[in-house]
Amino acid sequence: QLQLVESGGGLVQPGGSLRLSCAASGFTLDYYAIGWFRQAPGKEREGVSCISSSDNSTYYADSVKGRFTISRDNAKNTVYLQMNSLKPEDTAVYYCAADQWELLLLGYSDYWGQGTQVTVSS
């Protein structure tokens, strides 16, 4: 069974950092682009960052550029999202997804994790 599991969310003060993990089971992440998405209450889901399967090309939404870094460790079958300088507007449920690069950039995927809550508040 193909499964993605996010972890690493929590409550952090503004300016703080968190590292989210997306671990895969039942399949190998090597051949998939991985995307991170988030959804805040009352808002539509938005793409945050993606990393390709081939050359580790990356994409970042303008709202997180310079603050978030996506990376992958194929040996651990895990993708990470390092989030620094967190702001209250980063508060959301964060999801990872696996699919083709082009589909992820459009917000589509057949494989989604269950999400992890990130709350940025003082």
Side-chain angles (χ1 to χ4, degrees), residues 35-93:
W36 283 98
F37 297 80
R38 66 187 181 185
Q39 188 165 21
K43 294 188 176 181
E44 292 188 356
R45 186 179 64 205
E46 65 170 330
V48 175
S49 182
C50 289
I51 186 165
S52 71
S53 60
S54 56
D55 59 1
N56 285 339
S57 296
T58 56
Y59 159 83
Y60 296 96
D62 287 344
S63 58
V64 306
K65 276 181 184 176
R67 300 188 298 122
F68 291 10
T69 302
I70 192 170
S71 62
R72 63 193 303 155
D73 185 340
N74 288 341
K76 296 183 177 179
N77 220 23
T78 301
V79 170
Y80 304 98
L81 185 68
Q82 178 67 43
M83 306 187 296
N84 298 330
S85 302
L86 283 162
K87 305 175 181 180
E89 51 263 44
D90 294 318
T91 296
V93 178

Side-chain angles (χ1 to χ4, degrees), residues 3 27 33 76 100 102 109 122:
Q3 192 174 13
F27 69 109
K76 296 183 177 179
Q100 298 177 43
E102 295 80 4
S109 175
S122 54

